[in-house]
Amino acid sequence: MFAPSVYAQRRAGLQQAGLNGLLLFVGNVDSPMNYHDNTLPFVQDSSFRYFFGLNEPGLAGVIDADSGEATLFGNDPDVADIVWTGPLPSLAERAAKAALERSRPYAELAQTVAEARAAGRPVRYLAPYRGETMIEMGRLLDTHPAQVKAGFCPELTRAVVALREIKGEEEIAEMEAALGVTHAMHIAAMQNAKPGVVEYQVVGIMEGIMRRHDWQLAYPSIFSKRGEVLHNHHHDHVLQQGDLVLNDTGCASGGGYASDITRTFPVGGKFSTRQRELYDIVLDMQLSAIDAIRPGVKYLDVHKLSARVMVEHMLRLGFFRGDAHEIVESGAYAIAFPHGLGHQIGMDVHDMEALGEDLVGYGDGTARSPLFGMGYLRLGKALKAGMVLTVEPGLYFIPALIDAWEKEGRHSQYIDFAKFREYADFGGIRIEDNVLVTADGSRVLGEPIPKTVDEVEAVMDV
Ligand code: GLY
Ligand code: MN
Ligand code: MN
Protein backbone atom coordinates (compact mmCIF):
# COMPACT_ATOMS: atom_id res chain seq x y z
CA MET A 1 0.00 0.00 0.00
CA PHE A 2 1.01 3.61 -0.48
CA ALA A 3 1.14 6.07 2.44
CA PRO A 4 -2.31 6.68 4.04
CA SER A 5 -2.30 10.27 2.79
CA VAL A 6 -2.36 9.08 -0.85
CA TYR A 7 -5.81 7.56 -0.33
CA ALA A 8 -7.07 10.63 1.54
CA GLN A 9 -5.90 12.81 -1.38
CA ARG A 10 -7.62 10.56 -3.91
CA ARG A 11 -10.90 10.73 -2.02
CA ALA A 12 -10.52 14.50 -1.73
CA GLY A 13 -10.02 14.59 -5.51
CA LEU A 14 -13.28 12.69 -6.00
CA GLN A 15 -15.01 15.16 -3.70
CA GLN A 16 -14.04 17.91 -6.18
CA ALA A 17 -16.34 16.32 -8.78
CA GLY A 18 -19.29 17.94 -7.02
CA LEU A 19 -21.49 14.84 -6.79
CA ASN A 20 -24.14 14.38 -4.12
CA GLY A 21 -25.51 11.35 -2.26
CA LEU A 22 -23.58 8.23 -1.31
CA LEU A 23 -20.73 6.86 -3.41
CA LEU A 24 -20.70 3.10 -2.90
CA PHE A 25 -17.61 0.99 -3.67
CA VAL A 26 -18.11 -2.73 -3.04
CA GLY A 27 -14.77 -4.58 -2.91
CA ASN A 28 -14.29 -8.02 -4.38
CA VAL A 29 -14.77 -11.27 -2.52
CA ASP A 30 -12.79 -14.45 -3.06
CA SER A 31 -13.68 -16.44 -6.18
CA PRO A 32 -13.94 -20.18 -5.64
CA MET A 33 -11.90 -22.42 -7.94
CA ASN A 34 -14.21 -25.41 -7.52
CA TYR A 35 -15.65 -25.16 -4.02
CA HIS A 36 -16.06 -22.29 -1.59
CA ASP A 37 -12.84 -22.58 0.40
CA ASN A 38 -10.56 -23.42 -2.55
CA THR A 39 -10.08 -20.02 -4.09
CA LEU A 40 -8.38 -18.41 -7.07
CA PRO A 41 -5.68 -15.85 -6.22
CA PHE A 42 -7.49 -12.84 -4.82
CA VAL A 43 -7.70 -9.74 -7.00
CA GLN A 44 -9.26 -6.64 -5.43
CA ASP A 45 -11.59 -4.36 -7.33
CA SER A 46 -9.29 -1.67 -8.68
CA SER A 47 -11.47 1.36 -7.93
CA PHE A 48 -12.05 0.17 -4.37
CA ARG A 49 -8.30 -0.33 -4.01
CA TYR A 50 -7.60 3.06 -5.56
CA PHE A 51 -9.69 4.94 -2.98
CA PHE A 52 -9.53 2.58 0.01
CA GLY A 53 -6.15 0.88 -0.47
CA LEU A 54 -6.92 -2.46 1.15
CA ASN A 55 -6.24 -5.62 -0.79
CA GLU A 56 -8.49 -8.02 1.12
CA PRO A 57 -11.87 -9.60 0.41
CA GLY A 58 -15.11 -8.73 2.16
CA LEU A 59 -14.86 -4.93 2.38
CA ALA A 60 -16.89 -2.00 1.07
CA GLY A 61 -16.29 1.72 1.19
CA VAL A 62 -18.84 4.51 1.26
CA ILE A 63 -18.12 8.16 0.66
CA ASP A 64 -20.82 10.60 1.69
CA ALA A 65 -20.42 13.07 -1.17
CA ASP A 66 -22.35 15.75 0.71
CA SER A 67 -20.27 15.71 3.89
CA GLY A 68 -17.05 14.24 2.47
CA GLU A 69 -17.01 11.56 5.18
CA ALA A 70 -15.65 8.15 4.16
CA THR A 71 -16.43 4.89 5.97
CA LEU A 72 -14.94 1.43 5.63
CA PHE A 73 -17.37 -1.47 6.13
CA GLY A 74 -15.96 -4.86 7.10
CA ASN A 75 -15.62 -7.23 10.01
CA ASP A 76 -13.17 -7.59 12.83
CA PRO A 77 -11.62 -11.06 12.88
CA ASP A 78 -13.16 -13.37 15.45
CA VAL A 79 -11.39 -16.25 17.12
CA ALA A 80 -12.76 -18.76 14.58
CA ASP A 81 -11.11 -16.72 11.77
CA ILE A 82 -7.85 -16.49 13.68
CA VAL A 83 -7.73 -20.29 14.12
CA TRP A 84 -7.52 -20.62 10.33
CA THR A 85 -5.68 -17.48 9.34
CA GLY A 86 -3.53 -16.49 12.33
CA PRO A 87 -3.71 -13.05 13.98
CA LEU A 88 -5.20 -10.31 11.82
CA PRO A 89 -5.41 -6.54 12.33
CA SER A 90 -8.67 -5.08 13.51
CA LEU A 91 -10.94 -3.31 11.04
CA ALA A 92 -10.03 0.06 12.59
CA GLU A 93 -6.32 -0.69 12.15
CA ARG A 94 -6.89 -1.61 8.53
CA ALA A 95 -8.96 1.54 7.98
CA ALA A 96 -6.13 3.66 9.38
CA LYS A 97 -3.80 2.39 6.64
CA ALA A 98 -5.97 4.31 4.18
CA ALA A 99 -6.44 7.35 6.45
CA LEU A 100 -10.04 6.32 7.20
CA GLU A 101 -11.23 7.40 10.61
CA ARG A 102 -14.58 5.66 10.39
CA SER A 103 -15.14 1.92 10.16
CA ARG A 104 -18.33 -0.05 10.78
CA PRO A 105 -19.37 -3.72 10.85
CA TYR A 106 -20.26 -4.97 7.37
CA ALA A 107 -23.78 -5.80 8.51
CA GLU A 108 -24.49 -2.07 8.91
CA LEU A 109 -23.85 -1.33 5.23
CA ALA A 110 -27.34 -2.37 4.12
CA GLN A 111 -28.90 -0.05 6.68
CA THR A 112 -26.67 2.87 5.62
CA VAL A 113 -27.71 2.39 2.00
CA ALA A 114 -31.38 1.93 2.90
CA GLU A 115 -31.44 5.10 5.02
CA ALA A 116 -29.93 7.15 2.21
CA ARG A 117 -32.46 5.81 -0.28
CA ALA A 118 -35.36 6.38 2.11
CA ALA A 119 -34.23 10.00 2.44
CA GLY A 120 -34.28 10.33 -1.37
CA ARG A 121 -30.51 10.59 -1.67
CA PRO A 122 -28.87 9.03 -4.73
CA VAL A 123 -26.64 5.99 -4.18
CA ARG A 124 -24.05 6.20 -6.93
CA TYR A 125 -21.84 3.34 -8.03
CA LEU A 126 -19.58 2.14 -10.84
CA ALA A 127 -20.65 -0.65 -13.21
CA PRO A 128 -20.01 -4.00 -11.51
CA TYR A 129 -18.40 -6.78 -13.56
CA ARG A 130 -18.48 -9.78 -11.20
CA GLY A 131 -21.54 -11.90 -10.47
CA GLU A 132 -20.91 -11.89 -6.72
CA THR A 133 -20.79 -8.09 -6.68
CA MET A 134 -24.01 -7.84 -8.67
CA ILE A 135 -25.74 -10.15 -6.20
CA GLU A 136 -24.47 -8.18 -3.22
CA MET A 137 -25.41 -4.85 -4.76
CA GLY A 138 -28.81 -6.23 -5.71
CA ARG A 139 -29.30 -7.06 -2.02
CA LEU A 140 -28.13 -3.61 -0.90
CA LEU A 141 -30.22 -1.74 -3.47
CA ASP A 142 -33.24 -4.03 -3.32
CA THR A 143 -32.93 -4.67 -7.05
CA HIS A 144 -32.60 -7.83 -9.12
CA PRO A 145 -28.84 -8.50 -9.64
CA ALA A 146 -29.33 -8.49 -13.41
CA GLN A 147 -30.62 -4.89 -13.20
CA VAL A 148 -27.74 -3.52 -11.09
CA LYS A 149 -25.29 -2.83 -13.91
CA ALA A 150 -27.78 -0.70 -15.85
CA GLY A 151 -28.06 1.63 -12.85
CA PHE A 152 -24.38 2.61 -12.71
CA CYS A 153 -23.64 6.32 -12.45
CA PRO A 154 -21.99 7.87 -15.57
CA GLU A 155 -21.02 11.06 -13.66
CA LEU A 156 -19.23 9.06 -10.96
CA THR A 157 -17.61 6.96 -13.68
CA ARG A 158 -16.28 10.04 -15.47
CA ALA A 159 -14.97 11.46 -12.20
CA VAL A 160 -13.18 8.20 -11.33
CA VAL A 161 -11.71 7.91 -14.83
CA ALA A 162 -10.43 11.50 -14.66
CA LEU A 163 -8.54 10.67 -11.46
CA ARG A 164 -7.32 7.18 -12.27
CA GLU A 165 -6.11 8.02 -15.77
CA ILE A 166 -3.55 10.54 -14.50
CA LYS A 167 -0.86 8.55 -12.77
CA GLY A 168 1.00 9.90 -9.77
CA GLU A 169 4.71 9.44 -9.19
CA GLU A 170 4.08 6.62 -6.74
CA GLU A 171 2.01 4.79 -9.36
CA ILE A 172 4.68 5.22 -12.05
CA ALA A 173 7.27 3.80 -9.62
CA GLU A 174 5.02 0.79 -9.01
CA MET A 175 4.54 0.26 -12.76
CA GLU A 176 8.28 0.43 -13.30
CA ALA A 177 8.73 -2.17 -10.55
CA ALA A 178 6.32 -4.45 -12.43
CA LEU A 179 8.30 -3.77 -15.61
CA GLY A 180 11.57 -4.71 -13.89
CA VAL A 181 10.35 -8.26 -13.30
CA THR A 182 8.67 -8.35 -16.71
CA HIS A 183 12.03 -7.41 -18.23
CA ALA A 184 13.65 -10.45 -16.61
CA MET A 185 10.77 -12.67 -17.81
CA HIS A 186 11.15 -11.56 -21.42
CA ILE A 187 14.92 -12.00 -21.46
CA ALA A 188 14.51 -15.49 -19.96
CA ALA A 189 11.95 -16.33 -22.64
CA MET A 190 14.29 -15.25 -25.45
CA GLN A 191 17.16 -17.25 -23.97
CA ASN A 192 15.17 -20.43 -23.32
CA ALA A 193 13.12 -20.66 -26.52
CA LYS A 194 15.43 -23.18 -28.18
CA PRO A 195 14.57 -25.70 -30.90
CA GLY A 196 12.89 -28.77 -29.36
CA VAL A 197 11.50 -26.91 -26.33
CA VAL A 198 7.71 -26.89 -25.83
CA GLU A 199 6.10 -23.46 -25.47
CA TYR A 200 4.72 -24.20 -22.00
CA GLN A 201 8.22 -24.95 -20.73
CA VAL A 202 9.24 -21.39 -21.55
CA VAL A 203 6.01 -20.05 -20.04
CA GLY A 204 6.83 -21.99 -16.86
CA ILE A 205 10.29 -20.43 -16.67
CA MET A 206 8.86 -16.93 -17.11
CA GLU A 207 6.08 -17.40 -14.60
CA GLY A 208 8.53 -18.94 -12.12
CA ILE A 209 10.49 -15.67 -12.16
CA MET A 210 7.32 -13.79 -11.30
CA ARG A 211 6.27 -16.24 -8.60
CA ARG A 212 9.67 -15.83 -6.95
CA HIS A 213 8.51 -12.25 -6.27
CA ASP A 214 5.17 -13.58 -5.00
CA TRP A 215 3.44 -11.69 -7.80
CA GLN A 216 0.68 -12.61 -10.22
CA LEU A 217 0.23 -12.24 -13.95
CA ALA A 218 -1.53 -9.08 -15.07
CA TYR A 219 -3.36 -11.22 -17.71
CA PRO A 220 -2.95 -14.75 -19.10
CA SER A 221 0.33 -14.97 -21.04
CA ILE A 222 0.24 -15.14 -24.82
CA PHE A 223 3.29 -17.13 -25.86
CA SER A 224 3.05 -18.84 -29.21
CA LYS A 225 4.65 -19.48 -32.54
CA ARG A 226 1.12 -18.93 -33.92
CA GLY A 227 1.33 -15.25 -33.12
CA GLU A 228 -1.32 -14.39 -35.69
CA VAL A 229 -3.92 -15.77 -33.25
CA LEU A 230 -4.29 -12.56 -31.30
CA HIS A 231 -5.28 -13.93 -27.91
CA ASN A 232 -3.65 -17.35 -28.20
CA HIS A 233 -3.53 -18.93 -24.74
CA HIS A 234 -2.40 -22.38 -25.92
CA HIS A 235 1.22 -23.19 -25.22
CA ASP A 236 1.62 -26.67 -26.61
CA HIS A 237 3.69 -26.30 -29.79
CA VAL A 238 7.20 -27.68 -29.98
CA LEU A 239 9.49 -24.84 -31.07
CA GLN A 240 11.51 -25.39 -34.22
CA GLN A 241 14.50 -23.61 -35.68
CA GLY A 242 13.29 -20.55 -37.57
CA ASP A 243 9.87 -20.27 -35.92
CA LEU A 244 8.88 -16.76 -34.96
CA VAL A 245 7.55 -16.60 -31.38
CA LEU A 246 5.26 -13.87 -30.09
CA ASN A 247 5.50 -13.34 -26.32
CA ASP A 248 2.90 -11.01 -24.78
CA THR A 249 3.45 -11.35 -21.03
CA GLY A 250 3.26 -8.97 -18.09
CA CYS A 251 2.99 -9.23 -14.34
CA ALA A 252 1.15 -7.21 -11.73
CA SER A 253 3.27 -5.72 -8.97
CA GLY A 254 2.56 -6.43 -5.31
CA GLY A 255 1.12 -2.93 -5.12
CA GLY A 256 -1.36 -3.88 -7.81
CA TYR A 257 -0.07 -2.21 -11.00
CA ALA A 258 0.16 -3.99 -14.35
CA SER A 259 2.75 -4.26 -17.08
CA ASP A 260 1.95 -5.39 -20.62
CA ILE A 261 4.91 -6.15 -22.87
CA THR A 262 5.21 -7.96 -26.20
CA ARG A 263 8.36 -9.06 -27.97
CA THR A 264 8.66 -11.27 -31.04
CA PHE A 265 11.81 -13.28 -31.73
CA PRO A 266 13.13 -16.17 -33.84
CA VAL A 267 13.75 -19.62 -32.39
CA GLY A 268 17.45 -20.30 -32.90
CA GLY A 269 18.32 -16.64 -32.39
CA LYS A 270 18.64 -15.33 -35.98
CA PHE A 271 15.90 -13.59 -37.96
CA SER A 272 15.54 -14.77 -41.57
CA THR A 273 15.66 -12.08 -44.27
CA ARG A 274 11.86 -12.21 -44.63
CA GLN A 275 11.32 -12.04 -40.84
CA ARG A 276 13.74 -9.16 -40.45
CA GLU A 277 12.08 -7.20 -43.26
CA LEU A 278 8.63 -7.39 -41.66
CA TYR A 279 9.96 -7.02 -38.12
CA ASP A 280 11.57 -3.73 -39.04
CA ILE A 281 8.23 -2.50 -40.37
CA VAL A 282 6.55 -3.15 -37.01
CA LEU A 283 9.45 -1.51 -35.22
CA ASP A 284 9.05 1.57 -37.44
CA MET A 285 5.30 1.57 -36.71
CA GLN A 286 6.01 1.49 -32.98
CA LEU A 287 8.80 4.06 -32.90
CA SER A 288 6.82 6.45 -35.14
CA ALA A 289 3.82 6.12 -32.81
CA ILE A 290 5.89 6.72 -29.67
CA ASP A 291 7.44 9.74 -31.34
CA ALA A 292 3.99 11.21 -32.05
CA ILE A 293 2.71 10.88 -28.48
CA ARG A 294 2.24 14.13 -26.60
CA PRO A 295 -0.58 15.88 -24.72
CA GLY A 296 -3.45 16.94 -26.96
CA VAL A 297 -2.83 14.38 -29.71
CA LYS A 298 -5.72 11.96 -30.28
CA TYR A 299 -4.65 8.36 -29.93
CA LEU A 300 -6.93 7.52 -32.88
CA ASP A 301 -4.64 9.70 -35.01
CA VAL A 302 -1.55 7.96 -33.62
CA HIS A 303 -3.17 4.62 -34.52
CA LYS A 304 -3.74 5.86 -38.07
CA LEU A 305 -0.18 7.14 -38.30
CA SER A 306 1.13 3.73 -37.28
CA ALA A 307 -1.13 2.00 -39.83
CA ARG A 308 0.09 4.41 -42.50
CA VAL A 309 3.74 3.64 -41.75
CA MET A 310 2.95 -0.04 -42.20
CA VAL A 311 1.05 0.53 -45.45
CA GLU A 312 3.84 2.64 -46.96
CA HIS A 313 6.34 -0.17 -46.36
CA MET A 314 3.91 -2.83 -47.58
CA LEU A 315 3.14 -0.86 -50.75
CA ARG A 316 6.85 -1.00 -51.50
CA LEU A 317 6.85 -4.78 -50.96
CA GLY A 318 3.77 -5.30 -53.15
CA PHE A 319 1.16 -6.30 -50.54
CA PHE A 320 -1.02 -3.27 -51.25
CA ARG A 321 -1.61 -1.03 -54.27
CA GLY A 322 -3.02 2.49 -54.39
CA ASP A 323 -2.90 5.49 -52.10
CA ALA A 324 -1.64 4.96 -48.53
CA HIS A 325 -4.10 7.46 -47.04
CA GLU A 326 -7.06 5.73 -48.73
CA ILE A 327 -5.84 2.30 -47.67
CA VAL A 328 -5.84 3.46 -44.05
CA GLU A 329 -9.12 5.40 -44.15
CA SER A 330 -11.00 2.62 -45.97
CA GLY A 331 -9.89 0.08 -43.35
CA ALA A 332 -8.14 -2.12 -45.96
CA TYR A 333 -4.92 -1.98 -43.93
CA ALA A 334 -6.61 -4.03 -41.17
CA ILE A 335 -6.07 -7.24 -43.14
CA ALA A 336 -2.54 -7.09 -41.68
CA PHE A 337 -3.14 -5.05 -38.48
CA PRO A 338 -6.61 -5.93 -37.21
CA HIS A 339 -6.39 -4.60 -33.65
CA GLY A 340 -5.94 -1.28 -31.89
CA LEU A 341 -2.61 0.44 -31.31
CA GLY A 342 -3.09 0.31 -27.55
CA HIS A 343 -5.02 1.10 -24.40
CA GLN A 344 -4.49 2.78 -21.06
CA ILE A 345 -2.70 0.68 -18.45
CA GLY A 346 -2.51 1.08 -14.68
CA MET A 347 -4.09 -1.04 -11.97
CA ASP A 348 -5.80 -3.03 -14.73
CA VAL A 349 -3.94 -4.13 -17.82
CA HIS A 350 -6.72 -2.55 -19.88
CA ASP A 351 -7.10 0.18 -17.35
CA MET A 352 -10.64 0.87 -16.13
CA GLU A 353 -12.17 -1.11 -18.99
CA ALA A 354 -14.77 -2.56 -16.61
CA LEU A 355 -16.12 0.96 -16.16
CA GLY A 356 -17.12 1.11 -19.83
CA GLU A 357 -14.70 1.04 -22.74
CA ASP A 358 -16.17 4.09 -24.46
CA LEU A 359 -16.39 6.14 -21.25
CA VAL A 360 -12.69 5.50 -20.69
CA GLY A 361 -11.28 5.63 -24.20
CA TYR A 362 -13.56 7.95 -26.18
CA GLY A 363 -15.58 11.13 -25.72
CA ASP A 364 -14.35 14.72 -25.81
CA GLY A 365 -15.28 14.82 -29.51
CA THR A 366 -13.69 11.50 -30.49
CA ALA A 367 -15.98 8.66 -31.54
CA ARG A 368 -15.10 5.01 -32.07
CA SER A 369 -14.59 4.07 -35.73
CA PRO A 370 -17.19 1.68 -37.18
CA LEU A 371 -14.49 -0.02 -39.31
CA PHE A 372 -13.27 -3.56 -38.71
CA GLY A 373 -9.85 -3.30 -37.05
CA MET A 374 -9.88 0.43 -36.26
CA GLY A 375 -13.06 -0.15 -34.26
CA TYR A 376 -11.11 -2.39 -31.87
CA LEU A 377 -9.03 0.56 -30.75
CA ARG A 378 -9.79 0.92 -27.03
CA LEU A 379 -8.33 4.39 -26.63
CA GLY A 380 -9.08 7.04 -29.25
CA LYS A 381 -9.39 10.29 -27.32
CA ALA A 382 -6.86 13.09 -26.84
CA LEU A 383 -3.91 12.24 -24.58
CA LYS A 384 -3.06 14.03 -21.36
CA ALA A 385 0.21 14.28 -19.45
CA GLY A 386 0.28 11.56 -16.78
CA MET A 387 -1.58 8.93 -18.80
CA VAL A 388 0.17 5.62 -19.33
CA LEU A 389 -0.67 3.68 -22.46
CA THR A 390 0.51 0.71 -24.41
CA VAL A 391 1.95 1.15 -27.89
CA GLU A 392 1.54 -2.21 -29.55
CA PRO A 393 1.36 -2.27 -33.33
CA GLY A 394 1.42 -5.62 -35.06
CA LEU A 395 1.56 -7.23 -38.47
CA TYR A 396 -0.10 -10.62 -38.97
CA PHE A 397 -0.96 -13.08 -41.69
CA ILE A 398 -4.29 -14.59 -40.67
CA PRO A 399 -5.24 -17.17 -43.32
CA ALA A 400 -8.95 -17.17 -42.42
CA LEU A 401 -9.13 -13.37 -42.74
CA ILE A 402 -7.20 -13.31 -46.03
CA ASP A 403 -9.45 -16.05 -47.48
CA ALA A 404 -12.67 -14.40 -46.28
CA TRP A 405 -11.82 -10.98 -47.71
CA GLU A 406 -10.58 -12.44 -50.97
CA LYS A 407 -13.77 -14.48 -51.36
CA GLU A 408 -16.00 -11.46 -50.82
CA GLY A 409 -13.70 -9.17 -52.80
CA ARG A 410 -13.38 -6.81 -49.85
CA HIS A 411 -10.93 -3.96 -50.55
CA SER A 412 -9.71 -5.90 -53.62
CA GLN A 413 -8.73 -2.63 -55.32
CA TYR A 414 -6.07 -2.13 -52.60
CA ILE A 415 -4.99 -5.65 -51.57
CA ASP A 416 -2.83 -8.10 -53.51
CA PHE A 417 -4.33 -11.28 -52.06
CA ALA A 418 -1.88 -13.56 -53.93
CA LYS A 419 1.02 -11.79 -52.22
CA PHE A 420 -0.65 -12.15 -48.81
CA ARG A 421 -1.24 -15.86 -49.45
CA GLU A 422 2.51 -16.35 -50.06
CA TYR A 423 2.95 -15.52 -46.34
CA ALA A 424 0.15 -17.77 -45.04
CA ASP A 425 2.56 -19.64 -42.72
CA PHE A 426 4.40 -16.58 -41.49
CA GLY A 427 2.57 -16.03 -38.18
CA GLY A 428 2.57 -12.60 -36.57
CA ILE A 429 4.72 -9.86 -35.10
CA ARG A 430 3.78 -7.46 -32.31
CA ILE A 431 6.01 -5.10 -30.33
CA GLU A 432 4.49 -3.57 -27.19
CA ASP A 433 5.80 -1.11 -24.62
CA ASN A 434 4.21 0.90 -21.82
CA VAL A 435 4.56 4.63 -22.37
CA LEU A 436 4.00 7.60 -20.07
CA VAL A 437 2.67 10.80 -21.65
CA THR A 438 4.85 13.63 -20.36
CA ALA A 439 4.36 17.40 -20.52
CA ASP A 440 6.08 17.63 -23.90
CA GLY A 441 6.23 14.11 -25.29
CA SER A 442 6.54 10.64 -23.84
CA ARG A 443 8.79 8.26 -21.93
CA VAL A 444 8.94 4.50 -22.41
CA LEU A 445 8.69 3.08 -18.90
CA GLY A 446 11.08 0.53 -17.44
CA GLU A 447 14.58 -0.54 -18.33
CA PRO A 448 14.68 -1.07 -22.11
CA ILE A 449 13.90 -4.64 -23.17
CA PRO A 450 15.79 -5.75 -26.32
CA LYS A 451 13.76 -4.56 -29.28
CA THR A 452 15.82 -3.99 -32.43
CA VAL A 453 16.83 -6.99 -34.52
CA ASP A 454 20.43 -6.58 -33.38
CA GLU A 455 19.48 -6.26 -29.69
CA VAL A 456 17.24 -9.33 -29.80
CA GLU A 457 19.82 -11.42 -31.64
CA ALA A 458 22.56 -10.33 -29.20
CA VAL A 459 20.58 -11.30 -26.08
CA MET A 460 19.62 -14.66 -27.61
CA ASP A 461 23.26 -15.48 -28.37
CA VAL A 462 23.83 -17.61 -25.24
N1 GLY B 1 -1.96 -8.33 -23.37
C1 GLY B 1 -3.15 -8.02 -24.09
C2 GLY B 1 -2.99 -6.74 -24.75
O1 GLY B 1 -1.91 -6.45 -25.23
O2 GLY B 1 -3.83 -5.91 -24.78
MN1 MN C 1 -1.76 -4.42 -24.46
MN1 MN D 1 -0.08 -7.23 -24.45
Side-chain angles (χ1 to χ4, degrees):
M1 266 180 87
F2 300 124
S5 58
V6 168
Y7 303 100
Q9 276 162 20
R10 290 172 175 180
R11 293 191 300 269
L14 191 54
Q15 196 63 19
Q16 301 298 312
L19 300 169
N20 63 346
L22 290 193
L23 314 182
L24 171 63
F25 296 89
V26 176
N28 283 343
V29 291
D30 270 321
S31 288
M33 222 185 294
N34 39 21
Y35 58 92
H36 179 268
D37 287 338
N38 197 28
T39 58
L40 293 161
F42 177 70
V43 179
Q44 183 58 284
D45 173 73
S46 298
S47 292
F48 174 86
R49 195 172 180 182
Y50 184 83
F51 292 109
F52 295 88
L54 298 161
N55 188 28
E56 297 147 36
L59 299 171
V62 170
I63 299 174
D64 184 320
D66 299 301
S67 69
E69 241 168 30
T71 307
L72 179 70
F73 288 85
N75 291 325
D76 277 318
D78 62 19
V79 71
D81 295 323
I82 291 169
V83 166
W84 292 98
T85 60
L88 293 167
S90 69
L91 185 66
E93 285 166 335
R94 287 185 278 162
K97 292 186 192 171
L100 291 156
E101 283 160 17
R102 295 165 55 89
S103 60
R104 306 297 307 155
Y106 195 88
E108 291 185 16
L109 176 59
Q111 192 187 335
T112 301
V113 172
E115 280 172 8
R117 295 179 75 223
R121 301 178 69 202
V123 177
R124 303 179 187 277
Y125 56 88
L126 303 171
Y129 52 90
R130 283 199 184 186
E132 291 92 338
T133 310
M134 292 180 202
I135 292 169
E136 173 60 358
M137 291 181 69
R139 182 183 77 85
L140 294 170
L141 298 165
D142 200 18
T143 306
H144 191 282
Q147 305 301 326
V148 170
K149 192 167 180 172
F152 83 96
C153 175
E155 295 80 16
L156 174 62
T157 304
R158 285 194 198 93
V160 170
V161 170
L163 290 168
R164 281 184 58 187
E165 73 182 2
I166 306 300
K167 271 60 180 180
E169 275 173 26
E170 70 288 345
E171 296 179 284
I172 301 298
E174 196 64 34
M175 294 181 81
E176 294 209 282
L179 285 163
V181 175
T182 303
H183 177 280
M185 292 162 75
H186 276 267
I187 302 269
M190 289 176 189
Q191 294 183 336
N192 284 280
K194 307 265 188 202
V197 170
V198 189
E199 289 166 350
Y200 55 67
Q201 294 176 309
V202 183
V203 173
I205 291 168
M206 279 197 293
E207 295 185 6
I209 292 171
M210 175 197 73
R211 294 296 303 134
R212 290 207 293 274
H213 289 78
D214 200 22
W215 288 359
Q216 302 292 338
L217 291 172
Y219 55 92
S221 299
I222 299 164
F223 182 93
S224 182
K225 65 190 225 180
R226 295 268 51 103
E228 79 281 8
V229 180
L230 297 183
H231 278 177
N232 190 341
H233 299 306
H234 299 283
H235 305 133
D236 49 7
H237 294 112
V238 178
L239 299 178
Q240 281 159 358
Q241 181 76 26
D243 285 337
L244 202 54
V245 176
L246 188 153
N247 179 21
D248 182 346
T249 299
C251 59
S253 71
Y257 283 78
S259 57
D260 183 7
I261 294 290
T262 307
R263 290 292 183 269
T264 308
F265 53 86
V267 177
K270 291 276 171 239
F271 287 87
S272 68
T273 306
R274 183 184 254 205
Q275 288 168 344
R276 175 189 284 256
E277 188 168 49
L278 296 182
Y279 187 92
D280 280 339
I281 294 176
V282 182
L283 187 60
D284 195 12
M285 292 166 77
Q286 204 227 19
L287 297 177
S288 305
I290 293 171
D291 203 42
I293 290 174
R294 57 183 49 79
V297 171
K298 286 184 182 180
Y299 209 47
L300 176 60
D301 291 334
V302 184
H303 174 97
K304 288 184 184 179
L305 167 78
S306 191
R308 187 179 171 122
V309 169
M310 179 190 81
V311 167
E312 279 168 358
H313 285 295
M314 291 182 87
L315 278 166
R316 177 174 50 80
L317 297 177
F319 289 94
F320 291 110
R321 49 181 171 252
D323 175 71
H325 177 76
E326 281 176 27
I327 293 168
V328 172
E329 291 299 326
S330 66
Y333 78 93
I335 192 168
F337 174 27
H339 61 74
L341 182 63
H343 47 85
Q344 297 203 58
I345 179 168
M347 300 179 87
D348 312 323
V349 59
H350 290 181
D351 208 24
M352 303 173 279
E353 204 161 287
L355 305 185
E357 219 178 291
D358 281 355
L359 279 169
V360 174
Y362 288 88
D364 300 334
T366 313
R368 188 186 285 270
S369 164
L371 294 172
F372 171 85
M374 211 180 293
Y376 292 138
L377 180 66
R378 296 178 148 94
L379 169 64
K381 69 185 182 184
L383 304 178
K384 295 182 196 135
M387 281 182 172
V388 181
L389 24 127
T390 68
V391 185
E392 51 178 306
L395 198 171
Y396 313 86
F397 294 89
I398 304 170
L401 183 61
I402 297 166
D403 288 352
W405 282 21
E406 182 168 25
K407 223 172 258 161
E408 65 179 81
R410 196 185 303 196
H411 300 305
S412 55
Q413 69 272 41
Y414 300 125
I415 298 170
D416 187 326
F417 288 106
K419 178 80 178 173
F420 270 89
R421 268 190 275 106
E422 279 173 30
Y423 285 69
D425 285 340
F426 184 89
I429 299 168
R430 179 161 66 252
I431 305 174
E432 177 172 23
D433 282 308
N434 304 160
V435 177
L436 170 69
V437 183
T438 61
D440 55 2
S442 71
R443 176 165 82 79
V444 177
L445 295 179
E447 186 187 338
I449 299 171
K451 188 157 79 169
T452 65
V453 163
D454 289 348
E455 286 164 359
V456 172
E457 290 186 349
V459 83
M460 292 185 78
D461 187 17
V462 287

